[in-house]
């Protein structure tokens, strides 16, 4: 972990994506000072947080596909949501955040290239609805998140990450959540502020997907 952190410029944070990893692995990294952990399933996160209740300073980031019926649970359990991919989902988050008296930090997931396997806002839709999105109450809209299609090569990924950085700048959003185990270097060069790293930090996933 320290090798990655040493290579991150000031202002770039490491999110340790601990999905499918056990509590002991999280505890180990927390012992080295890691604070931010990412999970993609609500039930798995609730169970881990129970077993890690003594580590109250940890911050939890939801990075998975967010189903509408999980919004309340995710708002209660997580400080950041990286995967908000539609206006209807954002509206629901706003409404439930008000009921729960929370202010989740939100990244909007954006799809810069055609990719049937991924969700996300299309750039033109985001721009068209921006004033309405930007006026959403009970949330802190902090940035954009993106995942490149796996078919892209190094330079194409870097171009995509730059597109994300430029759009965030245009919308006056500080953060870009981009870069994973295999592409965090080019994401950082293009202006990422949060890299989301799982397998490179933890090794193979330990819990089988259910
Ligand atoms: C699993 C996951 C990661 C981490 O991926 P690695 O390739 O293991 O680093 C990052 N972001 C999201 C949204 C994920 O689901």
């Amino acid at each position: 972990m320290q090798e990655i952190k040493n290579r991150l410029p000031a202002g770039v944070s490491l999110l340790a994506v601990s999905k499918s990893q056990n509590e002991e692995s999280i505890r180990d990294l927390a012992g080295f000072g890691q604070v931010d952990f990412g999970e993609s399933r609500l039930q798995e996160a609730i169970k881990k947080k129970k077993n890690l209740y003594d580590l109250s300073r940890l911050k939890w980031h939801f990075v998975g596909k967010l189903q509408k019926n999980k919004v309340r649970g995710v708002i209660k359990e997580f400080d950041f949501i990286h995967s908000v991919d539609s206006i209807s989902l954002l509206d629901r988050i706003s409404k439930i955040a008000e009921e729960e008296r929370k202010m989740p930090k939100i990244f909007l997931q954006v799809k810069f290239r055609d990719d049937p396997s991924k969700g996300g806002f299309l750039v033109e839709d985001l721009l068209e609805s921006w004033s309405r999105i930007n006026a959403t109450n009970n949330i802190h809209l902090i940035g954009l998140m993106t995942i490149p299609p796996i078919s892209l090569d190094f330079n194409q990924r870097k171009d995509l990450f730059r597109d994300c950085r430029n759009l965030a700048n245009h919308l006056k959003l500080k953060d870009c959540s981009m870069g994973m185990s295999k592409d965090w270097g080019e994401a950082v060069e293009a202006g990422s502020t949060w890299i989301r790293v799982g397998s490179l930090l933890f090794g193979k996933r330990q819990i089988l997907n259910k």
Side-chain angles (χ1 to χ4, degrees):
M1 179 175 76
Q2 204 52 49
E3 296 99 273
I4 300 176
K5 282 197 163 168
N6 289 343
R7 288 173 54 194
L8 295 181
V12 185
S13 302
L14 171 64
L15 174 60
V17 179
S18 50
K19 65 174 187 221
S20 313
Q21 305 293 337
N22 62 26
E23 288 86 346
E24 281 321 300
S25 310
I26 296 174
R27 209 174 266 290
D28 285 348
L29 284 196
F32 288 108
Q34 180 65 25
V35 171
D36 293 281
F37 288 90
E39 291 283 338
S40 58
R41 289 198 186 83
L42 176 61
Q43 294 314 317
E44 187 181 322
I46 289 175
K47 177 175 162 285
K48 288 178 187 175
K49 286 182 71 189
K50 276 204 185 107
N51 293 323
L52 298 166
Y53 67 96
D54 53 310
L55 301 177
S56 56
R57 68 195 172 83
L58 299 189
K59 295 262 186 269
W60 295 91
H61 299 237
F62 189 80
V63 300
K65 170 98 186 131
L66 178 49
Q67 310 291 343
K68 294 239 158 69
N69 63 344
K70 299 283 166 69
V71 167
R72 189 175 304 277
V74 164
I75 286 175
K76 284 183 171 173
E77 301 293 336
F78 289 84
D79 306 285
F80 294 75
I81 306 174
H82 288 241
S83 43
V84 178
D85 59 3
S86 70
I87 294 191
S88 59
L89 180 59
L90 189 70
D91 285 344
R92 189 171 174 85
I93 290 171
S94 172
K95 176 172 165 281
I96 295 179
E98 181 177 28
E99 291 169 12
E100 298 291 337
R101 299 179 194 283
K102 295 266 194 179
M103 263 280 192
K105 297 189 177 72
I106 300 290
F107 292 88
L108 302 177
Q109 184 170 354
V110 182
K111 206 153 103 158
F112 289 90
R113 305 285 185 275
D114 201 33
D115 185 353
S117 71
K118 296 267 150 46
F121 286 88
L122 299 178
V123 175
E124 56 266 33
D125 295 344
L126 184 61
L127 289 172
E128 196 177 286
S129 308
W130 178 244
S131 53
R132 164 151 142 55
I133 291 172
N134 198 29
T136 308
N137 293 319
N138 314 307
I139 59 160
H140 280 307
L141 193 51
I142 62 168
L144 304 179
M145 180 274 228
T146 196
I147 305 173
I150 42 170
S151 58
L152 301 192
D153 67 22
F154 177 90
N155 286 313
Q156 291 168 326
R157 281 199 304 272
K158 202 159 164 186
D159 284 345
L160 182 152
F161 290 142
R162 282 214 189 90
D163 288 348
C164 189
R165 181 69 262 173
N166 289 338
L167 181 61
N169 291 351
H170 175 70
L171 300 174
K172 301 190 165 56
L173 296 171
K174 177 178 147 286
D175 287 293
C176 283
S177 167
M178 54 190 194
M180 305 174 28
S181 290
K182 294 204 172 80
D183 57 14
W184 67 269
E186 54 267 35
V188 167
E189 282 180 41
S192 175
T193 62
W194 279 99
I195 58 168
R196 309 180 309 269
V197 180
S199 43
L200 186 64
L201 275 179
F202 290 100
K204 275 212 216 94
R205 307 222 161 95
Q206 294 160 343
I207 304 170
L208 289 177
N209 291 343
K210 280 151 275 177

